[in-house]
Amino acid sequence: MRHGKKNNHLGRTDSHRKAMLANMASSLIKHKRIQTTLAKAKALRMYVEPLLTKSKTDTTHSRRIVFSYLQDKEIITELFRDVAAKIANRPGGYTRIIKLNNRLGDNAEMALIELVDYNEVYGKEVESAEKKTTRRGRTKAKKADDTTVAATPATEEAAVETKTEDKGE
């Protein structure tokens, strides 16, 4: 029985699966996004996110641990210099999986997995969303303030007109 065994074997032996995930993780770090099947993308997310967390602390020990998984010096250098600087203040969730159309040959579910901080399209929307105010409990008070502000100049003008009319008569 496979109680408590959470990793997807992807129809491969252990050594083949580890080599494939290491290559896919290296490609993801190098190109910032890759297209693969949905099952592989989900397996890659579980594989690469702890490595990205390790890269936030640039010590010799963490470099050696990540190197034991990826086995590529140039990718390790790029990970610890460029990628770690971008994800330094993010508490987790470094990757995003976007589902695509099924593959034509075998109708496999395809997906695009990418590093979140390297997508400019979604980053601009997040910045504009942060500038919005929340709607909790403020709408009634805000509307009341707007009506009093709008009504105040009109009442002042009306008061000035009545005073001038009184003086003229």
Side-chain angles (χ1 to χ4, degrees):
M1 293 187 181
R2 55 180 314 268
H3 294 300
K5 298 180 181 178
K6 293 184 178 181
N7 62 341
N8 188 351
H9 295 291
L10 300 172
R12 288 163 171 81
T13 61
D14 187 49
S15 59
H16 185 189
R17 185 173 56 254
K18 286 179 182 177
M20 182 193 65
L21 289 174
N23 288 331
M24 288 175 66
S26 297
S27 296
L28 179 65
I29 293 166
K30 183 177 183 180
H31 300 293
K32 311 304 186 248
R33 68 174 61 180
I34 57 172
Q35 183 176 346
T36 182
T37 62
L38 185 62
K40 287 180 189 173
K42 289 179 179 179
L44 179 61
R45 172 189 275 173
M46 291 179 61
Y47 184 85
V48 78
E49 293 225 354
L51 300 179
L52 293 171
T53 304
K54 275 283 187 208
S55 72
K56 290 165 80 172
T57 58
D58 190 6
T59 61
T60 306
H61 181 63
S62 60
R63 279 181 179 263
R64 286 178 179 167
I65 289 174
V66 174
F67 184 77
S68 71
Y69 284 93
L70 298 182
Q71 298 291 320
D72 190 351
K73 289 182 182 179
E74 290 143 9
I75 298 298
I76 300 297
T77 305
E78 184 175 350
L79 174 64
F80 278 86
R81 281 190 188 155
D82 303 333
V83 178
K86 281 218 173 194
I87 64 172
N89 58 357
R90 183 177 291 274
Y94 311 112
T95 57
R96 176 187 295 124
I97 295 177
I98 301 169
K99 291 184 182 179
L100 302 174
N101 292 333
N102 290 357
R103 190 161 51 197
L104 288 177
D106 58 355
N107 205 30
E109 293 179 316
M110 298 300 288
L112 183 76
I113 183 168
E114 63 184 5
L115 296 176
V116 173
D117 293 314
Y118 280 91
N119 190 336
E120 295 83 20
V121 176
Y122 292 114
K124 291 177 184 174
E125 292 176 6
V126 171
E127 289 173 5
S128 63
E130 290 175 3
K131 293 178 184 176
K132 287 185 178 180
T133 58
T134 58
R135 297 179 65 190
R136 283 178 261 135
R138 289 184 167 174
T139 55
K140 294 177 185 175
K142 189 174 183 181
K143 286 180 183 177
D145 291 340
D146 290 342
T147 55
T148 57
V149 170
T152 306
T155 54
E156 288 177 2
E157 290 175 8
V160 170
E161 289 176 8
T162 54
K163 287 181 183 177
T164 55
E165 288 175 5
D166 290 338
K167 290 179 181 177
E169 291 181 3

